[in-house]
Amino acid sequence: MTSQNYTVQLQNKKTLKFALGWRFFHLLEEIEMALLQWVPSFIGSGLRGLVYKTIFGKLGKGASIKTGVELFCAYRMQIGHKVSIGRDVRIRSIGPKDKIKIGDGVSFDRGVDIKAHGNQNGIEIGDRTYIGPYTCLSGAKLKIGKDCLIASHSSIYSNNHIFANVGQNINQQGNSYEGITIEDNCWLGTGVKVMDGVTIGEGSIIGAGAIVTKNIPPYSIAVGVPAKVISSRREAAVV
């Protein structure tokens, strides 16, 4: 047997082990969720917080998990202490490098949808950040800092479809990933859209309905489509 054939066989074995391991953990997720989803009120929330420790990579103390929560590959997720996950939240990790890290005291309101994909650095959300109802987070290299407020129906997409080849369908050309960073203590109003490659500086406020396509300096107030800085919180504080 040549060294090349041996390497190929070794890679195939690793791929098989990963596939079997993934299927086992996903089956365990489905069984536990099916058994516990129906349990109502604080009793069910506490029970899920205890039992789900077996499927999460890490689940901190005092976690509150409501009914209807959907998880995909939870063993790649690290959940901090006193995290609140509301009804019908969906959290998915698609690739083996797509880690999801949730800090202490984070709160997900109803219907939040989080999907880490791209097989890169995944998604990280800092301590005490609040994510409002029906907000979508998707992509890779997406980082939200501490003490942020993200209002309802916002969209944060740290990926783009590749479309350079006009002779090929767009859905067959893959995605690009630049990454998004929202620094500490930011407030995004309802319906804000944040595009890939953007950094929103610490302490900034983004007005409702804005579409952020370029970097926002720290302590800025930005509004509009596309979002433009209209004032600085630091200058206002001096006055």
Side-chain angles (χ1 to χ4, degrees), residues 45 49 56 59-67 69 79-89 91 102-112 114 125 128-132:
S45 181
F56 278 105
L59 182 61
K61 297 179 180 179
S64 173
I65 303 174
K66 299 296 192 296
T67 59
V69 172
I79 310 296
H81 302 302
K82 297 183 179 180
V83 169
S84 175
I85 302 178
R87 289 183 59 188
D88 304 321
V89 168
I91 309 175
I102 310 300
D104 297 339
V106 170
S107 178
F108 297 137
D109 216 318
R110 183 171 184 171
V112 169
I114 299 174
I125 301 174
R128 299 175 299 279
T129 283
Y130 166 79
I131 308 293

PDB file of all heavy atoms in Angstrom, residues 45 49 56 59-67 69 79-89 91 102-112 114 125 128-132:
ATOM      1  N   SER A  45     -39.028  24.264  32.218  1.00  0.00           N
ATOM      2  CA  SER A  45     -37.831  25.049  31.910  1.00  0.00           C
ATOM      3  C   SER A  45     -36.642  24.584  32.738  1.00  0.00           C
ATOM      4  O   SER A  45     -35.533  24.397  32.226  1.00  0.00           O
ATOM      5  CB  SER A  45     -38.102  26.537  32.165  1.00  0.00           C
ATOM      6  OG  SER A  45     -36.973  27.308  31.852  1.00  0.00           O
ATOM      7  N   GLY A  49     -33.272  22.515  31.526  1.00  0.00           N
ATOM      8  CA  GLY A  49     -31.963  23.043  31.859  1.00  0.00           C
ATOM      9  C   GLY A  49     -31.041  21.999  32.469  1.00  0.00           C
ATOM     10  O   GLY A  49     -29.825  22.024  32.256  1.00  0.00           O
ATOM     11  N   PHE A  56     -25.468  19.595  25.341  1.00  0.00           N
ATOM     12  CA  PHE A  56     -24.681  20.804  25.095  1.00  0.00           C
ATOM     13  C   PHE A  56     -23.205  20.545  25.364  1.00  0.00           C
ATOM     14  O   PHE A  56     -22.844  19.740  26.233  1.00  0.00           O
ATOM     15  CB  PHE A  56     -25.135  21.951  26.002  1.00  0.00           C
ATOM     16  CG  PHE A  56     -26.353  22.688  25.503  1.00  0.00           C
ATOM     17  CD1 PHE A  56     -27.585  22.491  26.086  1.00  0.00           C
ATOM     18  CD2 PHE A  56     -26.242  23.590  24.458  1.00  0.00           C
ATOM     19  CE1 PHE A  56     -28.708  23.177  25.635  1.00  0.00           C
ATOM     20  CE2 PHE A  56     -27.352  24.284  23.991  1.00  0.00           C
ATOM     21  CZ  PHE A  56     -28.589  24.072  24.581  1.00  0.00           C
ATOM     22  N   LEU A  59     -23.297  23.869  29.445  1.00  0.00           N
ATOM     23  CA  LEU A  59     -24.533  24.544  29.828  1.00  0.00           C
ATOM     24  C   LEU A  59     -24.382  25.028  31.256  1.00  0.00           C
ATOM     25  O   LEU A  59     -24.261  24.233  32.183  1.00  0.00           O
ATOM     26  CB  LEU A  59     -25.735  23.603  29.701  1.00  0.00           C
ATOM     27  CG  LEU A  59     -27.100  24.219  30.024  1.00  0.00           C
ATOM     28  CD1 LEU A  59     -27.405  25.370  29.068  1.00  0.00           C
ATOM     29  CD2 LEU A  59     -28.202  23.166  29.932  1.00  0.00           C
ATOM     30  N   GLY A  60     -24.380  26.351  31.433  1.00  0.00           N
ATOM     31  CA  GLY A  60     -24.155  26.932  32.745  1.00  0.00           C
ATOM     32  C   GLY A  60     -25.330  26.763  33.693  1.00  0.00           C
ATOM     33  O   GLY A  60     -26.413  26.293  33.324  1.00  0.00           O
ATOM     34  N   LYS A  61     -25.123  27.184  34.916  1.00  0.00           N
ATOM     35  CA  LYS A  61     -26.148  27.074  35.953  1.00  0.00           C
ATOM     36  C   LYS A  61     -27.265  28.090  35.717  1.00  0.00           C
ATOM     37  O   LYS A  61     -27.040  29.180  35.216  1.00  0.00           O
ATOM     38  CB  LYS A  61     -25.524  27.303  37.330  1.00  0.00           C
ATOM     39  CG  LYS A  61     -24.483  26.261  37.720  1.00  0.00           C
ATOM     40  CD  LYS A  61     -23.896  26.583  39.089  1.00  0.00           C
ATOM     41  CE  LYS A  61     -22.847  25.555  39.496  1.00  0.00           C
ATOM     42  NZ  LYS A  61     -22.244  25.872  40.808  1.00  0.00           N
ATOM     43  N   GLY A  62     -28.466  27.704  36.111  1.00  0.00           N
ATOM     44  CA  GLY A  62     -29.604  28.616  36.077  1.00  0.00           C
ATOM     45  C   GLY A  62     -30.142  28.902  34.694  1.00  0.00           C
ATOM     46  O   GLY A  62     -30.856  29.890  34.505  1.00  0.00           O
ATOM     47  N   ALA A  63     -29.853  28.060  33.712  1.00  0.00           N
ATOM     48  CA  ALA A  63     -30.366  28.272  32.361  1.00  0.00           C
ATOM     49  C   ALA A  63     -31.876  28.035  32.317  1.00  0.00           C
ATOM     50  O   ALA A  63     -32.388  27.092  32.923  1.00  0.00           O
ATOM     51  CB  ALA A  63     -29.671  27.351  31.370  1.00  0.00           C
ATOM     52  N   SER A  64     -32.571  28.890  31.582  1.00  0.00           N
ATOM     53  CA  SER A  64     -34.014  28.758  31.407  1.00  0.00           C
ATOM     54  C   SER A  64     -34.300  28.503  29.931  1.00  0.00           C
ATOM     55  O   SER A  64     -33.985  29.337  29.074  1.00  0.00           O
ATOM     56  CB  SER A  64     -34.727  30.042  31.860  1.00  0.00           C
ATOM     57  OG  SER A  64     -36.108  29.992  31.560  1.00  0.00           O
ATOM     58  N   ILE A  65     -34.882  27.339  29.622  1.00  0.00           N
ATOM     59  CA  ILE A  65     -35.137  26.952  28.236  1.00  0.00           C
ATOM     60  C   ILE A  65     -36.628  26.672  28.081  1.00  0.00           C
ATOM     61  O   ILE A  65     -37.154  25.717  28.646  1.00  0.00           O
ATOM     62  CB  ILE A  65     -34.307  25.715  27.853  1.00  0.00           C
ATOM     63  CG1 ILE A  65     -32.813  25.993  28.069  1.00  0.00           C
ATOM     64  CG2 ILE A  65     -34.565  25.326  26.401  1.00  0.00           C
ATOM     65  CD1 ILE A  65     -31.919  24.794  27.862  1.00  0.00           C
ATOM     66  N   LYS A  66     -37.309  27.505  27.314  1.00  0.00           N
ATOM     67  CA  LYS A  66     -38.756  27.395  27.154  1.00  0.00           C
ATOM     68  C   LYS A  66     -39.114  26.311  26.137  1.00  0.00           C
ATOM     69  O   LYS A  66     -38.251  25.691  25.510  1.00  0.00           O
ATOM     70  CB  LYS A  66     -39.323  28.744  26.709  1.00  0.00           C
ATOM     71  CG  LYS A  66     -39.083  29.882  27.694  1.00  0.00           C
ATOM     72  CD  LYS A  66     -39.794  29.630  29.007  1.00  0.00           C
ATOM     73  CE  LYS A  66     -39.807  30.875  29.898  1.00  0.00           C
ATOM     74  NZ  LYS A  66     -38.470  31.296  30.333  1.00  0.00           N
ATOM     75  N   THR A  67     -40.408  26.099  25.924  1.00  0.00           N
ATOM     76  CA  THR A  67     -40.887  25.081  24.996  1.00  0.00           C
ATOM     77  C   THR A  67     -40.642  25.508  23.548  1.00  0.00           C
ATOM     78  O   THR A  67     -40.516  26.685  23.236  1.00  0.00           O
ATOM     79  CB  THR A  67     -42.379  24.824  25.197  1.00  0.00           C
ATOM     80  OG1 THR A  67     -43.093  26.054  24.993  1.00  0.00           O
ATOM     81  CG2 THR A  67     -42.661  24.324  26.599  1.00  0.00           C
ATOM     82  N   VAL A  69     -38.053  25.023  21.638  1.00  0.00           N
ATOM     83  CA  VAL A  69     -36.676  25.330  21.248  1.00  0.00           C
ATOM     84  C   VAL A  69     -36.127  24.199  20.375  1.00  0.00           C
ATOM     85  O   VAL A  69     -36.275  23.025  20.699  1.00  0.00           O
ATOM     86  CB  VAL A  69     -35.785  25.536  22.490  1.00  0.00           C
ATOM     87  CG1 VAL A  69     -34.310  25.652  22.089  1.00  0.00           C
ATOM     88  CG2 VAL A  69     -36.224  26.772  23.248  1.00  0.00           C
ATOM     89  N   ILE A  79     -22.976  27.445  26.479  1.00  0.00           N
ATOM     90  CA  ILE A  79     -23.997  28.340  27.011  1.00  0.00           C
ATOM     91  C   ILE A  79     -23.617  28.738  28.433  1.00  0.00           C
ATOM     92  O   ILE A  79     -23.347  27.875  29.275  1.00  0.00           O
ATOM     93  CB  ILE A  79     -25.385  27.658  27.018  1.00  0.00           C
ATOM     94  CG1 ILE A  79     -25.691  27.027  25.650  1.00  0.00           C
ATOM     95  CG2 ILE A  79     -26.459  28.641  27.431  1.00  0.00           C
ATOM     96  CD1 ILE A  79     -25.801  27.992  24.518  1.00  0.00           C
ATOM     97  N   GLY A  80     -23.590  30.029  28.714  1.00  0.00           N
ATOM     98  CA  GLY A  80     -23.164  30.526  30.018  1.00  0.00           C
ATOM     99  C   GLY A  80     -24.220  30.371  31.103  1.00  0.00           C
ATOM    100  O   GLY A  80     -25.284  29.772  30.909  1.00  0.00           O
ATOM    101  N   HIS A  81     -23.950  30.969  32.258  1.00  0.00           N
ATOM    102  CA  HIS A  81     -24.854  30.904  33.404  1.00  0.00           C
ATOM    103  C   HIS A  81     -26.043  31.855  33.212  1.00  0.00           C
ATOM    104  O   HIS A  81     -25.912  32.931  32.623  1.00  0.00           O
ATOM    105  CB  HIS A  81     -24.120  31.288  34.688  1.00  0.00           C
ATOM    106  CG  HIS A  81     -22.929  30.423  34.984  1.00  0.00           C
ATOM    107  ND1 HIS A  81     -23.010  29.051  35.137  1.00  0.00           N
ATOM    108  CD2 HIS A  81     -21.613  30.737  35.156  1.00  0.00           C
ATOM    109  CE1 HIS A  81     -21.816  28.560  35.396  1.00  0.00           C
ATOM    110  NE2 HIS A  81     -20.949  29.556  35.402  1.00  0.00           N
ATOM    111  N   LYS A  82     -27.190  31.431  33.718  1.00  0.00           N
ATOM    112  CA  LYS A  82     -28.409  32.240  33.751  1.00  0.00           C
ATOM    113  C   LYS A  82     -28.812  32.772  32.381  1.00  0.00           C
ATOM    114  O   LYS A  82     -29.277  33.902  32.239  1.00  0.00           O
ATOM    115  CB  LYS A  82     -28.249  33.393  34.749  1.00  0.00           C
ATOM    116  CG  LYS A  82     -28.058  32.925  36.181  1.00  0.00           C
ATOM    117  CD  LYS A  82     -27.976  34.088  37.150  1.00  0.00           C
ATOM    118  CE  LYS A  82     -27.821  33.585  38.577  1.00  0.00           C
ATOM    119  NZ  LYS A  82     -27.729  34.711  39.544  1.00  0.00           N
ATOM    120  N   VAL A  83     -28.629  31.943  31.371  1.00  0.00           N
ATOM    121  CA  VAL A  83     -29.070  32.284  30.017  1.00  0.00           C
ATOM    122  C   VAL A  83     -30.560  31.950  29.879  1.00  0.00           C
ATOM    123  O   VAL A  83     -31.018  30.912  30.356  1.00  0.00           O
ATOM    124  CB  VAL A  83     -28.246  31.518  28.966  1.00  0.00           C
ATOM    125  CG1 VAL A  83     -28.867  31.649  27.571  1.00  0.00           C
ATOM    126  CG2 VAL A  83     -26.810  32.030  28.959  1.00  0.00           C
ATOM    127  N   SER A  84     -31.307  32.831  29.219  1.00  0.00           N
ATOM    128  CA  SER A  84     -32.735  32.612  28.996  1.00  0.00           C
ATOM    129  C   SER A  84     -32.987  32.407  27.497  1.00  0.00           C
ATOM    130  O   SER A  84     -32.674  33.282  26.693  1.00  0.00           O
ATOM    131  CB  SER A  84     -33.540  33.810  29.500  1.00  0.00           C
ATOM    132  OG  SER A  84     -34.917  33.652  29.194  1.00  0.00           O
ATOM    133  N   ILE A  85     -33.542  31.254  27.157  1.00  0.00           N
ATOM    134  CA  ILE A  85     -33.847  30.924  25.765  1.00  0.00           C
ATOM    135  C   ILE A  85     -35.356  30.804  25.636  1.00  0.00           C
ATOM    136  O   ILE A  85     -35.973  29.891  26.171  1.00  0.00           O
ATOM    137  CB  ILE A  85     -33.152  29.614  25.336  1.00  0.00           C
ATOM    138  CG1 ILE A  85     -31.635  29.740  25.525  1.00  0.00           C
ATOM    139  CG2 ILE A  85     -33.481  29.282  23.886  1.00  0.00           C
ATOM    140  CD1 ILE A  85     -30.862  28.479  25.184  1.00  0.00           C
ATOM    141  N   GLY A  86     -35.963  31.763  24.928  1.00  0.00           N
ATOM    142  CA  GLY A  86     -37.417  31.852  24.849  1.00  0.00           C
ATOM    143  C   GLY A  86     -38.048  30.821  23.935  1.00  0.00           C
ATOM    144  O   GLY A  86     -37.385  29.996  23.308  1.00  0.00           O
ATOM    145  N   ARG A  87     -39.357  30.892  23.838  1.00  0.00           N
ATOM    146  CA  ARG A  87     -40.123  29.931  23.045  1.00  0.00           C
ATOM    147  C   ARG A  87     -39.745  30.011  21.569  1.00  0.00           C
ATOM    148  O   ARG A  87     -39.493  31.084  21.018  1.00  0.00           O
ATOM    149  CB  ARG A  87     -41.618  30.197  23.192  1.00  0.00           C
ATOM    150  CG  ARG A  87     -42.194  29.827  24.560  1.00  0.00           C
ATOM    151  CD  ARG A  87     -43.682  30.050  24.585  1.00  0.00           C
ATOM    152  NE  ARG A  87     -44.358  29.245  23.556  1.00  0.00           N
ATOM    153  CZ  ARG A  87     -45.661  29.366  23.269  1.00  0.00           C
ATOM    154  NH1 ARG A  87     -46.405  30.271  23.906  1.00  0.00           N
ATOM    155  NH2 ARG A  87     -46.204  28.602  22.349  1.00  0.00           N
ATOM    156  N   ASP A  88     -39.712  28.838  20.930  1.00  0.00           N
ATOM    157  CA  ASP A  88     -39.533  28.711  19.477  1.00  0.00           C
ATOM    158  C   ASP A  88     -38.207  29.252  18.974  1.00  0.00           C
ATOM    159  O   ASP A  88     -38.075  29.571  17.784  1.00  0.00           O
ATOM    160  CB  ASP A  88     -40.688  29.409  18.735  1.00  0.00           C
ATOM    161  CG  ASP A  88     -42.045  28.870  19.161  1.00  0.00           C
ATOM    162  OD1 ASP A  88     -42.154  27.644  19.373  1.00  0.00           O
ATOM    163  OD2 ASP A  88     -42.987  29.668  19.301  1.00  0.00           O
ATOM    164  N   VAL A  89     -37.225  29.366  19.838  1.00  0.00           N
ATOM    165  CA  VAL A  89     -35.877  29.748  19.405  1.00  0.00           C
ATOM    166  C   VAL A  89     -35.237  28.564  18.677  1.00  0.00           C
ATOM    167  O   VAL A  89     -35.406  27.411  19.076  1.00  0.00           O
ATOM    168  CB  VAL A  89     -35.013  30.170  20.612  1.00  0.00           C
ATOM    169  CG1 VAL A  89     -33.539  30.292  20.225  1.00  0.00           C
ATOM    170  CG2 VAL A  89     -35.528  31.490  21.181  1.00  0.00           C
ATOM    171  N   ILE A  91     -31.438  27.245  17.251  1.00  0.00           N
ATOM    172  CA  ILE A  91     -29.991  27.456  17.255  1.00  0.00           C
ATOM    173  C   ILE A  91     -29.338  26.277  16.552  1.00  0.00           C
ATOM    174  O   ILE A  91     -29.472  25.129  16.992  1.00  0.00           O
ATOM    175  CB  ILE A  91     -29.435  27.584  18.690  1.00  0.00           C
ATOM    176  CG1 ILE A  91     -30.232  28.624  19.486  1.00  0.00           C
ATOM    177  CG2 ILE A  91     -27.962  27.976  18.653  1.00  0.00           C
ATOM    178  CD1 ILE A  91     -29.817  28.721  20.943  1.00  0.00           C
ATOM    179  N   ILE A 102     -22.246  31.450  23.942  1.00  0.00           N
ATOM    180  CA  ILE A 102     -23.205  32.388  24.522  1.00  0.00           C
ATOM    181  C   ILE A 102     -22.762  32.732  25.935  1.00  0.00           C
ATOM    182  O   ILE A 102     -22.599  31.842  26.778  1.00  0.00           O
ATOM    183  CB  ILE A 102     -24.627  31.783  24.546  1.00  0.00           C
ATOM    184  CG1 ILE A 102     -25.007  31.205  23.170  1.00  0.00           C
ATOM    185  CG2 ILE A 102     -25.624  32.821  25.022  1.00  0.00           C
ATOM    186  CD1 ILE A 102     -24.996  32.192  22.051  1.00  0.00           C
ATOM    187  N   GLY A 103     -22.583  34.016  26.228  1.00  0.00           N
ATOM    188  CA  GLY A 103     -22.086  34.448  27.528  1.00  0.00           C
ATOM    189  C   GLY A 103     -23.131  34.383  28.630  1.00  0.00           C
ATOM    190  O   GLY A 103     -24.304  34.049  28.408  1.00  0.00           O
ATOM    191  N   ASP A 104     -22.724  34.734  29.841  1.00  0.00           N
ATOM    192  CA  ASP A 104     -23.611  34.718  31.002  1.00  0.00           C
ATOM    193  C   ASP A 104     -24.710  35.772  30.871  1.00  0.00           C
ATOM    194  O   ASP A 104     -24.476  36.887  30.397  1.00  0.00           O
ATOM    195  CB  ASP A 104     -22.820  35.006  32.277  1.00  0.00           C
ATOM    196  CG  ASP A 104     -21.764  33.957  32.570  1.00  0.00           C
ATOM    197  OD1 ASP A 104     -21.880  32.834  32.046  1.00  0.00           O
ATOM    198  OD2 ASP A 104     -20.818  34.268  33.326  1.00  0.00           O
ATOM    199  N   GLY A 105     -25.909  35.402  31.311  1.00  0.00           N
ATOM    200  CA  GLY A 105     -27.007  36.354  31.385  1.00  0.00           C
ATOM    201  C   GLY A 105     -27.580  36.796  30.060  1.00  0.00           C
ATOM    202  O   GLY A 105     -28.359  37.745  29.998  1.00  0.00           O
ATOM    203  N   VAL A 106     -27.232  36.117  28.974  1.00  0.00           N
ATOM    204  CA  VAL A 106     -27.792  36.444  27.658  1.00  0.00           C
ATOM    205  C   VAL A 106     -29.259  36.024  27.600  1.00  0.00           C
ATOM    206  O   VAL A 106     -29.653  35.003  28.178  1.00  0.00           O
ATOM    207  CB  VAL A 106     -26.985  35.749  26.539  1.00  0.00           C
ATOM    208  CG1 VAL A 106     -27.685  35.868  25.190  1.00  0.00           C
ATOM    209  CG2 VAL A 106     -25.582  36.343  26.461  1.00  0.00           C
ATOM    210  N   SER A 107     -30.059  36.814  26.889  1.00  0.00           N
ATOM    211  CA  SER A 107     -31.487  36.520  26.784  1.00  0.00           C
ATOM    212  C   SER A 107     -31.919  36.504  25.318  1.00  0.00           C
ATOM    213  O   SER A 107     -31.701  37.476  24.591  1.00  0.00           O
ATOM    214  CB  SER A 107     -32.303  37.564  27.545  1.00  0.00           C
ATOM    215  OG  SER A 107     -33.690  37.324  27.406  1.00  0.00           O
ATOM    216  N   PHE A 108     -32.513  35.376  24.891  1.00  0.00           N
ATOM    217  CA  PHE A 108     -33.089  35.257  23.555  1.00  0.00           C
ATOM    218  C   PHE A 108     -34.604  35.309  23.679  1.00  0.00           C
ATOM    219  O   PHE A 108     -35.208  34.437  24.302  1.00  0.00           O
ATOM    220  CB  PHE A 108     -32.683  33.942  22.889  1.00  0.00           C
ATOM    221  CG  PHE A 108     -31.212  33.792  22.643  1.00  0.00           C
ATOM    222  CD1 PHE A 108     -30.569  32.603  22.910  1.00  0.00           C
ATOM    223  CD2 PHE A 108     -30.467  34.842  22.145  1.00  0.00           C
ATOM    224  CE1 PHE A 108     -29.214  32.447  22.675  1.00  0.00           C
ATOM    225  CE2 PHE A 108     -29.102  34.708  21.910  1.00  0.00           C
ATOM    226  CZ  PHE A 108     -28.475  33.514  22.183  1.00  0.00           C
ATOM    227  N   ASP A 109     -35.222  36.302  23.056  1.00  0.00           N
ATOM    228  CA  ASP A 109     -36.679  36.392  23.076  1.00  0.00           C
ATOM    229  C   ASP A 109     -37.267  35.410  22.065  1.00  0.00           C
ATOM    230  O   ASP A 109     -36.546  34.715  21.348  1.00  0.00           O
ATOM    231  CB  ASP A 109     -37.122  37.826  22.774  1.00  0.00           C
ATOM    232  CG  ASP A 109     -38.356  38.223  23.566  1.00  0.00           C
ATOM    233  OD1 ASP A 109     -39.280  37.392  23.684  1.00  0.00           O
ATOM    234  OD2 ASP A 109     -38.396  39.364  24.064  1.00  0.00           O
ATOM    235  N   ARG A 110     -38.570  35.385  21.996  1.00  0.00           N
ATOM    236  CA  ARG A 110     -39.271  34.378  21.193  1.00  0.00           C
ATOM    237  C   ARG A 110     -38.869  34.431  19.715  1.00  0.00           C
ATOM    238  O   ARG A 110     -38.745  35.490  19.118  1.00  0.00           O
ATOM    239  CB  ARG A 110     -40.777  34.582  21.310  1.00  0.00           C
ATOM    240  CG  ARG A 110     -41.585  33.538  20.563  1.00  0.00           C
ATOM    241  CD  ARG A 110     -43.057  33.630  20.875  1.00  0.00           C
ATOM    242  NE  ARG A 110     -43.788  32.548  20.224  1.00  0.00           N
ATOM    243  CZ  ARG A 110     -45.067  32.263  20.456  1.00  0.00           C
ATOM    244  NH1 ARG A 110     -45.748  32.983  21.340  1.00  0.00           N
ATOM    245  NH2 ARG A 110     -45.659  31.279  19.824  1.00  0.00           N
ATOM    246  N   GLY A 111     -38.669  33.236  19.122  1.00  0.00           N
ATOM    247  CA  GLY A 111     -38.475  33.120  17.693  1.00  0.00           C
ATOM    248  C   GLY A 111     -37.117  33.520  17.162  1.00  0.00           C
ATOM    249  O   GLY A 111     -36.937  33.602  15.940  1.00  0.00           O
ATOM    250  N   VAL A 112     -36.138  33.767  18.030  1.00  0.00           N
ATOM    251  CA  VAL A 112     -34.785  34.089  17.553  1.00  0.00           C
ATOM    252  C   VAL A 112     -34.227  32.899  16.772  1.00  0.00           C
ATOM    253  O   VAL A 112     -34.390  31.747  17.168  1.00  0.00           O
ATOM    254  CB  VAL A 112     -33.861  34.440  18.744  1.00  0.00           C
ATOM    255  CG1 VAL A 112     -32.397  34.516  18.297  1.00  0.00           C
ATOM    256  CG2 VAL A 112     -34.290  35.757  19.374  1.00  0.00           C
ATOM    257  N   ILE A 114     -30.702  31.419  15.035  1.00  0.00           N
ATOM    258  CA  ILE A 114     -29.244  31.540  14.962  1.00  0.00           C
ATOM    259  C   ILE A 114     -28.690  30.351  14.185  1.00  0.00           C
ATOM    260  O   ILE A 114     -28.963  29.202  14.523  1.00  0.00           O
ATOM    261  CB  ILE A 114     -28.625  31.578  16.371  1.00  0.00           C
ATOM    262  CG1 ILE A 114     -29.147  32.792  17.150  1.00  0.00           C
ATOM    263  CG2 ILE A 114     -27.098  31.617  16.295  1.00  0.00           C
ATOM    264  CD1 ILE A 114     -28.710  32.824  18.601  1.00  0.00           C
ATOM    265  N   ILE A 125     -21.656  35.584  21.437  1.00  0.00           N
ATOM    266  CA  ILE A 125     -22.505  36.639  21.993  1.00  0.00           C
ATOM    267  C   ILE A 125     -22.078  36.882  23.435  1.00  0.00           C
ATOM    268  O   ILE A 125     -22.029  35.959  24.240  1.00  0.00           O
ATOM    269  CB  ILE A 125     -23.994  36.262  21.924  1.00  0.00           C
ATOM    270  CG1 ILE A 125     -24.404  36.010  20.458  1.00  0.00           C
ATOM    271  CG2 ILE A 125     -24.863  37.355  22.533  1.00  0.00           C
ATOM    272  CD1 ILE A 125     -25.811  35.500  20.293  1.00  0.00           C
ATOM    273  N   ARG A 128     -24.806  39.314  29.090  1.00  0.00           N
ATOM    274  CA  ARG A 128     -25.934  40.210  29.367  1.00  0.00           C
ATOM    275  C   ARG A 128     -26.529  40.865  28.116  1.00  0.00           C
ATOM    276  O   ARG A 128     -27.272  41.841  28.210  1.00  0.00           O
ATOM    277  CB  ARG A 128     -25.532  41.302  30.372  1.00  0.00           C
ATOM    278  CG  ARG A 128     -25.090  40.750  31.725  1.00  0.00           C
ATOM    279  CD  ARG A 128     -24.581  41.864  32.631  1.00  0.00           C
ATOM    280  NE  ARG A 128     -23.424  42.539  32.036  1.00  0.00           N
ATOM    281  CZ  ARG A 128     -22.173  42.081  32.090  1.00  0.00           C
ATOM    282  NH1 ARG A 128     -21.916  40.931  32.722  1.00  0.00           N
ATOM    283  NH2 ARG A 128     -21.181  42.737  31.522  1.00  0.00           N
ATOM    284  N   THR A 129     -26.230  40.335  26.965  1.00  0.00           N
ATOM    285  CA  THR A 129     -26.815  40.871  25.727  1.00  0.00           C
ATOM    286  C   THR A 129     -28.224  40.313  25.535  1.00  0.00           C
ATOM    287  O   THR A 129     -28.497  39.153  25.835  1.00  0.00           O
ATOM    288  CB  THR A 129     -25.921  40.537  24.525  1.00  0.00           C
ATOM    289  OG1 THR A 129     -24.806  41.436  24.534  1.00  0.00           O
ATOM    290  CG2 THR A 129     -26.650  40.686  23.206  1.00  0.00           C
ATOM    291  N   TYR A 130     -29.103  41.155  25.007  1.00  0.00           N
ATOM    292  CA  TYR A 130     -30.491  40.782  24.740  1.00  0.00           C
ATOM    293  C   TYR A 130     -30.722  40.752  23.236  1.00  0.00           C
ATOM    294  O   TYR A 130     -30.379  41.700  22.522  1.00  0.00           O
ATOM    295  CB  TYR A 130     -31.444  41.788  25.386  1.00  0.00           C
ATOM    296  CG  TYR A 130     -32.875  41.681  24.909  1.00  0.00           C
ATOM    297  CD1 TYR A 130     -33.728  40.700  25.407  1.00  0.00           C
ATOM    298  CD2 TYR A 130     -33.370  42.570  23.949  1.00  0.00           C
ATOM    299  CE1 TYR A 130     -35.043  40.606  24.962  1.00  0.00           C
ATOM    300  CE2 TYR A 130     -34.686  42.480  23.500  1.00  0.00           C
ATOM    301  CZ  TYR A 130     -35.516  41.498  24.009  1.00  0.00           C
ATOM    302  OH  TYR A 130     -36.812  41.399  23.572  1.00  0.00           O
ATOM    303  N   ILE A 131     -31.313  39.654  22.744  1.00  0.00           N
ATOM    304  CA  ILE A 131     -31.665  39.510  21.332  1.00  0.00           C
ATOM    305  C   ILE A 131     -33.185  39.449  21.236  1.00  0.00           C
ATOM    306  O   ILE A 131     -33.816  38.546  21.786  1.00  0.00           O
ATOM    307  CB  ILE A 131     -31.048  38.236  20.710  1.00  0.00           C
ATOM    308  CG1 ILE A 131     -29.539  38.160  20.978  1.00  0.00           C
ATOM    309  CG2 ILE A 131     -31.333  38.202  19.206  1.00  0.00           C
ATOM    310  CD1 ILE A 131     -28.718  39.209  20.293  1.00  0.00           C
ATOM    311  N   GLY A 132     -33.781  40.414  20.527  1.00  0.00           N
ATOM    312  CA  GLY A 132     -35.230  40.563  20.492  1.00  0.00           C
ATOM    313  C   GLY A 132     -35.945  39.560  19.612  1.00  0.00           C
ATOM    314  O   GLY A 132     -35.335  38.795  18.857  1.00  0.00           O
TER     315      GLY A 132
END
